[in-house]
Amino acid sequence: MTLVFFIIALGILVIVHEWGHFIIARKSGIRVEKFSIGFGPTLFKIQGRETEFRVALLPLGGYVKLYGEDPEAEAEGDEQKAKAIAASPDSFTGKPARFRLATVLGGPVMNLVLAFVVMPFVFLIGRQVPAILEKPPVILGVMENSPAKAVNLEKGDIIQSINEESFQKWGDVLNWIMLHPNQEIKMVVTRDGVEKEIHTTITDAPDSRQKMGYLGIEPQYFWGNDPIVGDIVANGPAFSSGLKSGDFITAVNDEKISTWTQMTDKIRASNGKPISLGYLRQGVEGGVTITPAYNEDAKAYLIGITRFTNPDLYVVQKFSPGKAITHGLQETYRLSLLTLDVVKRLFSFDLSYKTLGGPLQIAQASGQAAKSGLGEFLYFLCFMSLQLGILNLLPIPVLDGGHVLFMAIEGIIRRPLSLKVKMVAMQTGMALLLGLMILITFNDVDRIWGIGDLITKAKGLF
């Protein structure tokens, strides 16, 4: 089902984007020859009055083919024919700059409009979020051997600012930390009513394949982190051990533990050797011995239990129509600023490409969002639409922003750029984007399956 939701989400985004180009072109009197969803071989097509609508095999994008978008290429070297195409009243090139600019911007603008229009419905339908994300950033605990521990941050410290940026909610603090790995920071906290200035360096998260920041004060390590058994996986190592849902784990190999994180760390460190678990069940102590099994997906030793999720730790963000519109617009604006910040930091090399997600991670995220409900899926769709709209405005040839750049240069020099110059620029832009996509996809594969593990398996076949 993950693939199905991925195709649905991507299909919606592509259709909206290309429809933006299409409708503005039509309104401007420009002939649209093709409207394609997907690339490659045609699966089916419908011929309209002047436009061929088609669905292609590879659902990774789409395009509209405008008549006269590139007269020289369309004329195949025939100079007279190229001039005739450029002078045609329904030619893209023959239209005034304002119509051409509007047509090019129509796609990304429609993606931005989609996000601003749909996001209020997210808060009208409702989406479930951890309650801690809406609470003030009071430190709930400090992980051992973490950057926060090294500079003596303490439980109860209230985070006021990081690098002069103020915060009111844990959700904003978490986003900031995750997007700034390997960065030196100045943090101002309040402890017992007195402000303290802390200097440290955000490191890479030790428990994630994805490159993201880590301080060791993130609330997910402490909020709702009680070692209470939720579900027991059928036929897993714990299935026939006698462990039951609701058991409170108190010890691993006779060592006391108080959090789910401590328990899982010790299980993963077992390397498959039998471990003893002490537990409390309705106030009565008990114990079991289990042999962890290696899980290929998690790349770790597990015993086949899930953490109990206390519904009281979550809140549903659901509002009346008026408030839903306000919250929707505010959230879309916040996500827009977040996306712009990521783009800026990528181009200034302050952020690694490894923080980005490619098609595999997007597919995973779309599936997870859909399983969480309609509100979460629409939220994911809005965020992706925002990113698609903003990234398409970058002045890189082959993107819409690249076409705007060409038009700006032509306006300055007061003549069209030659086909050769455009082709070289387009090929360079395509090479850059393909190279980035390959790196991101490689990173996806490494994050999900582990490149090292795949290489080891491949060697085992020979």
Side-chain angles (χ1 to χ4, degrees), residues 344-382:
K344 181 186 74 174
R345 297 183 64 246
L346 281 171
F347 277 88
S348 61
F349 299 103
D350 288 334
L351 193 64
S352 169
Y353 76 91
K354 291 186 176 181
T355 59
L356 302 177
L360 298 178
Q361 190 180 0
I362 293 171
Q364 277 191 331
S366 62
Q368 291 168 356
K371 290 177 183 177
S372 300
L374 179 59
E376 198 63 40
F377 182 72
L378 291 179
Y379 185 90
F380 167 79
L381 193 68
C382 289

Side-chain angles (χ1 to χ4, degrees), residues 36-46 53-59:
S36 179
I37 304 302
F39 300 109
T42 301
L43 296 178
F44 63 86
K45 60 184 178 181
I46 300 173
F53 298 91
R54 63 195 294 265
V55 174
L57 180 62
L58 302 175

